[in-house]
Amino acid sequence: MQKLQSQGVHHITLVGADRQTSIDFWEGVLGMPFIFEQPNLDKASESHLYFDPGDGRLITVFTDESRSPVKRRTPTDIGCVHHIAFAVSRVTFLQAVGRLDERGIKHSGVKDRGFMDSIYFEDPLGLLIELASYRFEPPAGFSHADVLMEAHRVRVGRGDYAIAEVHLADAIQALVERSRATLSEDRAAKNPY
């Protein structure tokens, strides 16, 4: 059977409360430009707001002026969304705790994830949001996923528990060595292509 090959996330749609709550959070807190709005084409009583999370893809929210924000954690049952993670630059990440504190938004503080750092907090409707910042940049021609897959191989080969910075560094070195030609006899013998 043929696969239905995905090429990335097209959009994520959330059920929101009123329009302004969504605009205040997604654009006002997370800096995602509010790019357009139209009716929910499947439910005329709702509006459909579109935000750009920074990569040209979309976060959309169904809103209804008769709904008010509910201050409780969204369900984490099987089949439910646990959280949504957004990439932020290192410099933005280093400001995140202070900026969340300024707004009175409760958060987890910085969490060490080995290959990235994270901060967690809830949106006004109880959805857990993560701000994530990688600790590395992939070499030219590679993605973060390429580096993480190679780091996983390195980690498993060494019997280590989780990906750490040393696995990332060694993965980046391996990817570069396999992908770049050299006139060095030592590397050329190991890497004939």
Side-chain angles (χ1 to χ4, degrees), residues 15 20 40 43 75 104 135-136 148 152 163 165 169 174 180 188 192-193:
V15 177
Q20 197 60 49
N40 175 351
K43 189 173 182 182
R135 292 181 174 178
F136 67 96
L148 290 170
H152 169 78
I163 294 175
E165 289 175 341
R180 306 291 194 278
Y193 58 94

Side-chain angles (χ1 to χ4, degrees), residues 13-17 22 40 46-49 60-64 67:
T13 299
L14 306 169
V15 177
S22 292
N40 175 351
E46 292 182 337
S47 190
H48 198 172
L49 282 57
T60 76
V61 185
F62 291 143
T63 63
D64 185 320
R67 297 193 297 241

Side-chain angles (χ1 to χ4, degrees), residues 106-141:
K106 287 179 22 182
H107 57 82
S108 65
V110 175
K111 298 289 185 180
D112 176 348
R113 299 299 186 217
F115 61 92
M116 67 181 193
D117 292 306
S118 299
I119 295 175
Y120 300 87
F121 57 97
E122 291 180 7
D123 83 346
L125 307 179
L127 176 63
L128 191 62
I129 301 294
E130 175 184 2
L131 300 181
S133 178
Y134 283 115
R135 292 181 174 178
F136 67 96
E137 286 300 318

Side-chain angles (χ1 to χ4, degrees), residues 6-7 11 20-24 35 48 52 59 74 78 116 122 138 142 144 147 149 152 158 176-177 180 191:
S6 71
Q7 294 181 283
H11 70 277
Q20 197 60 49
T21 296
S22 292
I23 294 169
D24 290 348
I35 59 173
H48 198 172
D52 177 356
I59 296 292
T74 56
I78 294 171
M116 67 181 193
E122 291 180 7
F142 292 96
H144 284 92
V147 174
M149 183 181 285
H152 169 78
R158 295 177 184 169
V176 169
E177 286 180 354
R180 306 291 194 278
N191 183 11

Side-chain angles (χ1 to χ4, degrees), residues 15-30:
V15 177
D18 61 288
R19 180 179 184 276
Q20 197 60 49
T21 296
S22 292
I23 294 169
D24 290 348
F25 180 75
W26 296 101
E27 185 172 55
V29 174
L30 294 182

